[in-house]
Amino acid sequence: MSSTDGSGSTFFVTTPIYYVNDVPHVGHAYTTLNADAVARWHRLLGDEVLFLTGTDEHGLKVQRAADEAGLTALDHATATSDRFRSAWEMLNISNDDFIRTTEERHHLAVQALLSKAYDNGYIYADTYEGDYCVSCEAYYVEDDLVDGNCPIHKRPVEHMVEDNYFFKLSAFADQLTEWLEADAHSIRPTGYRNEALGIVRQGLDDVSISRTSISWGIPVPWDTDHVFYVWYDALINYATAAGYGADDADFDKWWPTTHHFLGKDILRFHGVYWPAMLLAAGITDLPELHVHGFLLIGGEKMSKSGGVTAIGPAEMVDEFGVDGFRYAMLRNHSFGPDSDFSYEAIVERFNSDLANTYGNLVSRVATVVGKKCGGIGPAPDPDATLATAARTAYAEAATAWEAVQPSVALDATWRLVREANEYLAENEPWKMEAGPEVDVVMGNALEAIRIATVMATPAMPEATEIAWKRIGMPGLAAEQRLPDAAVWGGYPGGVPVEVGDPIFPRFKPAS
Ligand code: ME8
């Protein structure tokens, strides 16, 4: 599917589309940043990337939030959707598309895809009675409830009785089991694949996919008293953006390389319902899922409906800068398990990895080149020991990015940066006389910076371009192509190296 050799495959990567009843917080930012970093890595590999994010704007939860704000549902959705859009701009998210489920293109795709499932005999009418959590926009059976409350939001559920259209989820148990068992890349990390398998093995009931009680949704084309239940409209956003029903060539190009990033709270929808819907519509290419746990503060899921104060990404950017926040988010939280979000851990990471290690390396090298090499960066030595460190770092980072483990990839990258710092500490070029000996040391250090800088662009798109320019490289770091750009010997030498302000001044928390 995706390529590690720069051969130019396609790579379609998505985030969940976020509900517009809440404003962006660092939990949303976490998923979006991981998807962004992986999208950027694939661009470095030469893949053609389509990176999609957006907002989920229908459903009861959104309708109620709009009512409370005294706005029409669409005006409310537009205002909050814009907040997500600007949060992602602020965080330098490189999405190619931003979808809103209220857009015409989406209405058409939803109606086309579900009509296909209907024509194929997988949708039928019946009455539904059950307990509904408005925050999840989902029905629960009694066994799922905790003291009568929603297991996720810990809030009372509402009893509802409705005429509904149902989706024959039960018909897909065997195909889903086969997919999950046979394809180790269906859902990663593996624990979540097992969780989805567990859901399928417990037995699948058909699910209600339409509502008559609300009008804020996409009309069922063959029975317009109904609108599709928000989740069945929302999931289809991915197909809409890939061109489903509008441009078959586009859809065929992107769909086979679809990668969905999501939190574990919506695994059931993405890992069981969505693939079944695709199969019902005759789409047999199923996406790959990359699932992460919750960021927690003091052990509780960080979201407003979970009762824990939400933190806006803007507050973090004010403190740490865009790249400082991006790097710490990607590096501090391994992709998969739940993880504690802590301000202190970001400060520590910022100072140790950015101020003291990467920033310090760039400053030190520029200063010594200024003093001992007349400000002109010398070429590296082809046989330097650092070349081995660079090769190892690249191999490990490439494997980790491919496995969607940004934290591991950055750890490998920073090992190279640290080794370059140690190499300088051992050689003490600042004590040497100007001449060939100091030139070799500085050429090797510059080459390590060049390689680490390209590899760090997915995490720090701005700081890496500053460093790239400082060491005299032409063009942009993000325009380099891997693996070639990681091969030792690419630093040309004979180019001007600039001393500038520290890229990451040491962070001192206000006391
Ligand atoms: O579920 N830690 O939207 P949503 C980590 N509209 N990630 C978190 C998080 C936390 N504490 N809180 C939220 C929806 N997230 C639907 C999705 S997709 C077709 C429809 C992230 O606004 C995480 O990715 O509730 C989670 O899955 C998502 O936000 C839920 O966003």
Side-chain angles (χ1 to χ4, degrees), residues 57-60 63 73 107 162 211-220 224-228 233:
E57 307 190 1
H58 293 124
L60 201 46
Q63 173 76 65
H107 283 223
E162 281 192 292
R211 300 283 181 269
T212 49
S213 52
I214 58 169
S215 55
W216 182 234
I218 297 179
V220 171
T224 48
D225 288 344
H226 291 249
V227 295
F228 286 114
D233 131 23

Side-chain angles (χ1 to χ4, degrees), residues 229-248:
Y229 164 48
V230 61
W231 264 106
Y232 296 91
D233 131 23
L235 288 162
I236 296 171
N237 89 86
Y238 306 127
T240 307
Y244 184 82
D247 185 333
D248 291 346

Side-chain angles (χ1 to χ4, degrees), residues 22 43 101 112 126 142 222 258 260 277-278 298-299 306 313 357 368 436 461:
D22 199 1
R43 291 193 194 103
T101 54
D126 207 343
E142 204 159 333
W222 61 87
T258 300
H260 296 316
M277 285 165 71
L278 288 164
T357 305
V368 179

Side-chain angles (χ1 to χ4, degrees), residues 16-19 25 27-28 30-31 56 231 234-235 237-238 262-263 265-266 270 292-295 301-303:
I17 47 170
Y18 303 108
Y19 284 131
H25 58 64
H28 304 126
Y30 178 66
T31 319
D56 188 354
W231 264 106
L235 288 162
N237 89 86
Y238 306 127
L262 52 133
D265 49 335
I266 52 178
H270 285 79
H292 66 74
F294 291 142
L295 294 190
K301 177 176 177 266
M302 185 185 53
S303 79

Side-chain angles (χ1 to χ4, degrees), residues 154-438:
K154 317 266 186 319
R155 284 189 180 173
V157 288
E158 297 178 28
H159 196 74
M160 301 235 213
V161 183
E162 281 192 292
D163 277 334
N164 282 179
Y165 281 97
F166 280 77
F167 171 53
K168 258 191 209 168
L169 181 62
S170 55
F172 296 95
D174 290 347
Q175 282 177 82
L176 290 174
T177 306
E178 197 184 305
W179 168 61
L180 290 165
E181 280 179 347
D183 184 355
H185 284 188
S186 51
I187 304 183
R188 286 184 279 174
T190 311
Y192 294 115
R193 179 160 65 113
N194 292 334
E195 206 174 310
L197 261 174
I199 295 170
V200 177
R201 285 188 185 133
Q202 258 176 23
L204 296 177
D205 293 330
D206 293 349
V207 287
S208 136
I209 62 160
S210 76
R211 300 283 181 269
T212 49
S213 52
I214 58 169
S215 55
W216 182 234
I218 297 179
V220 171
W222 61 87
D223 184 348
T224 48
D225 288 344
H226 291 249
V227 295
F228 286 114
Y229 164 48
V230 61
W231 264 106
Y232 296 91
D233 131 23
L235 288 162
I236 296 171
N237 89 86
Y238 306 127
T240 307
Y244 184 82
D247 185 333
D248 291 346
D250 241 21
F251 187 74
D252 292 345
K253 167 178 165 180
W254 294 112
W255 197 254
T257 56
T258 300
H259 292 256
H260 296 316
F261 282 61
L262 52 133
K264 68 178 188 183
D265 49 335
I266 52 178
L267 170 63
R268 174 188 292 265
F269 285 103
H270 285 79
V272 180
Y273 298 7
W274 176 226
M277 285 165 71
L278 288 164
L279 292 169
I283 301 164
T284 50
D285 257 325
L286 299 182
E288 291 189 25
L289 269 51
H290 303 286
V291 184
H292 66 74
F294 291 142
L295 294 190
L296 308 162
I297 297 178
E300 242 187 293
K301 177 176 177 266
M302 185 185 53
S303 79
K304 282 196 174 138
S305 48
V308 182
T309 316
I311 302 169
E315 295 167 48
M316 295 290 107
V317 168
D318 282 349
E319 297 265 353
F320 302 104
V322 173
D323 284 355
F325 176 58
R326 287 178 61 107
Y327 178 82
M329 285 292 268
L330 294 167
R331 177 65 187 84
N332 281 4
H333 309 287
S334 146
F335 193 93
D338 287 352
S339 181
D340 269 318
F341 176 85
S342 108
Y343 179 85
E344 293 72 24
I346 303 180
V347 172
E348 207 175 301
R349 182 65 70 186
F350 183 97
N351 282 337
S352 70
D353 288 16
L354 302 184
N356 297 350
T357 305
Y358 183 77
N360 182 43
L361 177 67
V362 174
S363 300
R364 256 168 138 185
V365 167
T367 305
V368 179
V369 170
K371 287 191 179 143
K372 310 278 175 175
C373 314
I376 302 296
D381 167 11
D383 301 320
T385 48
L386 269 182
T388 314
R391 213 169 20 248
T392 310
Y394 178 73
E396 287 180 15
T399 305
W401 283 113
E402 198 64 31
V404 184
Q405 290 298 322
S407 173
V408 177
L410 293 171
D411 185 28
T413 306
W414 256 252
R415 238 174 289 138
L416 171 60
V417 182
R418 254 179 243 114
E419 291 194 42
N421 268 325
E422 282 161 22
Y423 171 77
L424 289 178
E426 278 160 22
N427 287 281
E428 302 186 307
W430 42 86
K431 291 189 180 163
M432 294 176 180
E433 293 298 318
E437 207 189 343
V438 84

